Amino acid sequence: AAGPGRPGPTADGRLPRTAAADTLAALQTAVLLGERMWIGYVNAEGLASQRVVDPVKVEGGFVTAYDHLSDEVRTFALHRITGVAEVEDSA
């Protein structure tokens, strides 16, 4: 498990890659607990981005989440998510 106080993106601004099973488990947990997550995502054109999302549901190989980048609820294909990390509370 990740150590406490680790930020989402690493020093070079990239999210660590996570295994598919870990990605799925982290997103399912975020749905249950109402947690905000960083995700690394590669779209159909192959463009990578990092987004802060509030996952709403995970099913059928997709995660539905409120995407803070686009300011709307979107559906992301799990196989296109390259990594996930918790968003640290900036108190």
Side-chain angles (χ1 to χ4, degrees):
R6 236 185 52 186
T10 54
D12 65 357
R14 291 170 176 255
L15 280 171
R17 286 191 169 261
T18 48
D22 294 337
T23 297
L24 181 61
L27 290 167
Q28 288 172 328
T29 300
V31 169
L32 289 172
L33 302 180
E35 290 179 339
R36 187 163 288 178
M37 300 289 288
W38 280 100
I39 63 169
Y41 190 74
V42 178
N43 69 10
E45 287 76 47
L47 292 172
S49 63
Q50 287 174 9
R51 328 171 154 256
V52 175
V53 299
D54 298 334
V56 179
K57 80 176 174 185
V58 179
E59 67 180 15
F62 293 91
V63 56
T64 302
Y66 174 77
D67 175 22
H68 290 265
L69 187 66
S70 64
D71 197 25
E72 62 188 9
V73 173
R74 299 193 46 195
T75 300
F76 300 95
L78 280 170
H79 72 273
R80 293 187 186 278
I81 295 175
T82 58
V84 293
E86 289 180 24
V87 173
E88 300 293 326
D89 291 328
S90 52

